């Protein structure tokens, strides 16, 4: 089922989310979030973006290149940010319009629970590393706009509201 994606400045996008409980309801939500993400189209979607204030996000870093690899992250934790931050362009399905420049670690070690209940502990690199940092931010109510300078933020906000 396609879910409506909340758009900034919806206040639900600025809330620190609660831990998720892995049950049938959450599995159904994750499936709907993947469907919604592919339809958007995007590569990552966090639960608060569809109005569920839970620590859950979905990602597929490679489907746009023809190799779908859906992943569901339940209660993710960033264990370590590895390497010097690199500034790169980022869009967000909740902030249609501006592509913002955000500094992110090039690699990240993350722990989470997969949809089958298995505990995961992996180092992610490349696009996946940037994407999980972006989606993880959503779980703490942090948006790309919050990473910008006052001037860059004003410009990006004006672009969204135009
Ligand atoms: Zn986003």
């Amino acid at each position: 089922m396609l879910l409506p994606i909340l758009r900034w400045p919806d206040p639900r996008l600025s809330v620190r989310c609660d831990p998720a409980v892995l049950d049938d309801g959450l599995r159904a939500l994750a499936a709907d979030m993947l469907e919604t993400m592919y339809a958007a189209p995007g590569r990552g979607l966090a639960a608060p973006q569809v109005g569920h204030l839970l620590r859950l996000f979905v990602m597929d870093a490679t489907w746009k290149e023809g190799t779908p690899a859906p992943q569901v992250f339940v209660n993710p934790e960033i264990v370590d940010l590895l390497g010097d931050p690199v500034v790169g362009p980022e869009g967000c399905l909740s902030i249609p319009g501006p592509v913002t420049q955000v500094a992110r670690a090039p690699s990240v070690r993350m722990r989470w629970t997969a949809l089958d209940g298995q505990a995961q502990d992996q180092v992610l690199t490349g696009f996946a590393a940037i994407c999980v940092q972006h989606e993880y931010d959503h779980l703490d109510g942090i948006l790309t706009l919050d990473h910008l300078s006052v001037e860059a933020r004003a410009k990006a906000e004006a672009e969204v509201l135009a």
Side-chain angles (χ1 to χ4, degrees), residues 77-88:
E77 281 175 69
I78 290 178
V79 182
D80 219 350
L81 296 170
L82 307 161
D84 292 330
V86 177
V87 175

Side-chain angles (χ1 to χ4, degrees), residues 126-150:
F127 178 82
I130 309 302
C131 191
V132 295
Q133 290 172 79
H134 176 113
E135 301 308 331
Y136 184 87
D137 268 358
H138 275 298
L139 309 186
D140 283 337
I142 298 168
L143 301 171
T144 52
L145 297 173
D146 298 316
H147 287 278
L148 304 180
S149 67
V150 173

Side-chain angles (χ1 to χ4, degrees), residues 34-140:
L34 279 166
E35 188 184 340
T36 302
M37 179 192 78
Y38 288 127
R43 299 181 197 245
L45 185 68
Q49 291 181 277
V50 290
H52 292 264
L53 303 182
L54 298 170
R55 303 189 78 78
L56 163 73
F57 66 78
V58 299
M59 175 177 84
D60 189 332
T62 53
W63 74 275
K64 286 188 180 179
E65 287 72 48
T67 35
Q71 280 189 288
V72 177
F73 296 75
V74 181
N75 297 323
E77 281 175 69
I78 290 178
V79 182
D80 219 350
L81 296 170
L82 307 161
D84 292 330
V86 177
V87 175
E90 273 177 47
C92 178
L93 294 176
S94 293
I95 312 173
V99 172
T100 52
Q101 297 292 327
V102 181
R104 302 284 187 191
S107 296
V108 55
R109 183 172 163 210
M110 188 166 257
R111 286 195 192 118
W112 71 96
T113 303
L115 213 51
D116 61 3
Q118 295 272 354
Q120 305 288 320
D121 186 335
Q122 288 181 30
V123 173
L124 299 150
T125 58
F127 178 82
I130 309 302
C131 191
V132 295
Q133 290 172 79
H134 176 113
E135 301 308 331
Y136 184 87
D137 268 358
H138 275 298
L139 309 186
D140 283 337

